[in-house]
């Protein structure tokens, strides 16, 4: 899980500094999220088709590693190009990382069901990757590393990914094949395609409410970060403050502290009323919209920026709890047939990425209208540490 999500986490942490200082396009941070999400949407949908067509987990892991390596090289190359060409190359890189992240996540959450504590451990790993990304980026920036060096450093991730999953992927493929065989015997006549694979409509019928809550929570939190947090932290009152200068990247780290705790907690406590998490995240969205417009916390200096970090940890708690508990229900609810479960996760995450895509479009629109501000007088405030 750490290896699957770490490159995405590093890229998201680098977005503000990279766009502002390398490409001179500070208002386009939602575009990076947009590119990742479009790619993740395509990746999740294609993965449904690959699973349906019988592609092995091992083959899909190879694709993940290839996309991760391509992303690192493309982003490193973008730092050497002029702004417009650099933006185009950046979008190639974020597309590749979005595809890789989606292939890995939607494949492994479903296949790791055969290991009882795997969902909680996957959640822990994704949370830790989100924490490690901004911490590594801020640390390397403080030591003077350029964005190109940071991106090239992520080339080691796909190598480790393959070494970790080369053998386990074979074992998980065997376990998945056996589950599908058992499922085809239990539900004859309900499959579509290879034995045991249900129709998409049947998957949505069994998992739709859970998937809807997951879609809403993720759409709301991706509206908050990067979009609203970027607008609110782009021009700190005191650029000499290490905290204020790095609040954007540290907010992602704090978000992932909340994610790590709440995702791992599913091994001990499960929340069946997932709609409560959706309502709470909607309240966060409304309050962050107000903050990004008025800058009440930002203008309080270091105490206000510290409060933002704590707030982002709470946003992460809600997002992580929704992720873990919705996936838990799809994998374990008694009312969901076994043959639906394998397709349930990829279908749910395909819908999640549609929701995040809509949130990214809304974020771009808000940045250009309701949240737009003239930052010319504050250009020196942006930085990476």
């Amino acid at each position: 899980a750490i290896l699957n999500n770490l490159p995405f986490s590093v890229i998201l942490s680098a977005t503000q500094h990279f766009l502002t200082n390398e490409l001179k396009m500070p208002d386009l941070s939602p575009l990076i999220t947009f590119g990742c999400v479009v790619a993740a949407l395509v990746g999740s949908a294609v993965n449904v088709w690959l699973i349906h067509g019988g592609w092995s987990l091992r083959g899909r892991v190879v694709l993940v590693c290839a996309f991760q390596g391509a992303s690192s090289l493309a982003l490193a190359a973008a730092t050497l190009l002029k702004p417009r060409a650099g933006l185009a190359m950046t979008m190639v890189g974020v597309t590749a990382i979005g595809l890789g992240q989606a292939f890995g996540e939607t494949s492994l959450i479903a296949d790791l069901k055969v290991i009882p504590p795997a969902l909680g451990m996957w959640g822990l790993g994704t949370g830790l990757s989100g924490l490690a990304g901004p911490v590594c980026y801020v640390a390397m920036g403080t030591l003077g590393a350029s964005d190109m060096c940071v991106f090239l450093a992520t080339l080691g991730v796909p190598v480790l990914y393959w070494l970790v999953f080369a053998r386990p992927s074979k074992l998980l493929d065997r376990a998945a094949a056996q589950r599908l065989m058992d499922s085809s015997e239990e539900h004859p006549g309900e499959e579509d395609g290879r034995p045991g694979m249900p129709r998409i409509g049947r998957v949505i019928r069994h998992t739709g409410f859970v998937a809807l809550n997951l879609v809403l929570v993720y759409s709301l939190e991706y509206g908050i970060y990067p979009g609203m947090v970027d607008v609110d932290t782009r021009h700190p009152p005191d650029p000499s403050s290490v905290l204020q200068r790095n609040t954007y990247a540290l907010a992602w780290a704090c978000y992932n502290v909340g994610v790590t705790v709440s995702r791992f907690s599913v091994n001990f406590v499960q929340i069946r009323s997932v709609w409560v998490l959706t309502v709470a995240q909607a309240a966060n969205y409304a309050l962050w919209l107000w903050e990004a417009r008025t800058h009440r916390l930002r203008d309080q200096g270091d105490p206000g920026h510290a409060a933002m970090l704590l707030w982002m940890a709470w946003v992460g708690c809600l997002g992580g709890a929704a992720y873990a508990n919705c996936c838990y229900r799809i994998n374990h609810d008694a009312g969901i047939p076994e043959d639906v479960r394998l397709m349930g996760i990829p279908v749910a995450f395909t819908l999640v990425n549609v929701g995040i895509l809509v949130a990214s479009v809304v974020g771009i629109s808000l940045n250009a209208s309701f949240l737009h501000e003239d930052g010319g007088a504050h250009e020196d405030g942006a930085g990476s540490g």
Side-chain angles (χ1 to χ4, degrees):
I2 293 173
L3 296 171
N4 191 78
N5 286 21
L6 183 59
F8 172 78
S9 180
V10 171
I11 290 168
L12 197 59
S13 301
T15 296
Q16 187 181 63
H17 181 260
F18 181 64
L19 288 175
T20 301
N21 294 278
E22 300 280 357
L23 300 183
K24 311 301 182 185
M25 300 175 179
D27 288 324
L28 293 184
S29 64
L31 183 62
I32 302 300
T33 305
F34 181 85
C36 282
V37 172
V38 170
L41 171 61
V42 172
S44 299
V46 170
N47 199 33
V48 171
W49 177 76
L50 292 178
I51 293 173
H52 203 281
W55 267 55
S56 68
L57 175 62
R58 187 181 179 87
R60 284 174 276 144
V61 168
V62 170
L63 287 177
V64 174
C65 296
F67 284 129
Q68 286 187 342
S71 174
S72 298
L73 292 173
L75 289 165
T79 65
L80 302 175
L81 300 174
K82 293 181 179 180
R84 289 191 177 182
L87 180 62
M89 186 61 72
T90 297
M91 296 311 297
V92 170
V94 300
T95 298
I97 202 57
L99 288 168
Q101 193 268 345
F103 271 118
E105 185 164 46
T106 57
S107 295
L108 292 166
I109 290 178
D111 282 283
L112 288 170
K113 178 183 177 293
V114 295
I115 307 171
L119 179 59
M121 295 305 294
W122 178 270
L124 176 64
T126 55
L128 290 174
S129 74
L131 181 61
V135 169
C136 289
Y137 179 73
V138 170
M140 292 181 72
T142 301
L143 293 173
S146 66
D147 287 332
M148 183 175 69
C149 290
V150 173
F151 295 141
L152 288 175
T154 62
L155 277 172
V157 174
V159 176
L160 291 173
Y161 202 121
W162 175 249
L163 292 175
V164 168
F165 271 105
R167 176 160 175 73
S169 60
K170 288 184 178 180
L171 303 178
L172 291 169
D173 277 328
R174 292 173 192 165
Q178 184 59 50
R179 293 206 314 277
L180 288 176
M181 187 64 68
D182 294 342
S183 177
S184 64
E185 294 173 358
E186 292 173 8
H187 302 277
E190 294 186 347
E191 61 277 346
D192 178 27
R194 68 189 179 103
M197 298 312 299
R199 291 179 175 86
I200 300 300
R202 183 164 171 259
V203 174
I204 294 175
R205 187 166 65 252
H206 282 284
T207 64
F209 176 75
V210 175
L212 175 62
N213 280 277
L214 189 60
V215 168
L216 291 175
V217 170
Y218 262 71
S219 300
L220 292 165
E221 71 181 48
Y222 272 80
I224 294 170
Y225 193 101
M228 296 179 192
V229 177
D230 174 44
V231 170
D232 202 31
T233 62
R234 194 180 300 159
H235 307 304
D238 180 11
S240 66
S241 166
V242 174
L243 172 62
Q244 294 182 38
R245 194 167 66 245
N246 292 291
T247 295
Y248 178 79
L250 293 175
W252 181 242
C254 290
Y255 163 85
N256 281 286
V257 170
V259 164
T260 301
V261 173
S262 58
R263 287 187 181 181
F264 185 61
S265 70
V266 77
N267 280 346
F268 311 102
V269 179
Q270 294 84 45
I271 300 172
R272 291 198 57 80
S273 300
V274 291
W275 62 269
V276 174
L277 304 171
T278 305
V279 172
Q281 199 70 299
N284 273 332
Y285 184 93
L287 291 170
W288 263 108
L289 183 61
W290 174 78
E291 166 59 23
R293 174 69 174 179
T294 64
H295 307 303
R296 293 294 178 86
L297 286 177
R298 186 195 72 176
D299 291 343
Q300 299 302 311
D302 282 357
H305 284 72
M308 288 185 208
L309 298 183
L310 293 175
W311 191 359
M312 283 305 299
W314 171 239
V315 171
C317 281
L318 294 175
Y323 175 104
N325 285 279
C326 289
C327 290
Y328 184 91
R329 287 192 58 180
I330 291 172
N331 275 346
H332 296 284
D333 269 11
I336 300 177
E338 187 64 31
D339 61 321
V340 170
R341 299 188 197 279
L342 186 62
M343 293 284 283
I345 295 295
V347 169
F349 276 89
T350 299
L351 297 175
V352 164
N353 285 309
V354 172
I356 297 175
L357 181 61
V358 172
S360 299
V361 173
V362 171
I364 292 171
S365 300
L366 286 173
N367 275 17
S369 55
F370 183 69
L371 299 179
H372 180 72
E373 61 180 356
D374 181 8
H378 305 277
E379 274 186 2
D380 292 335
S384 77

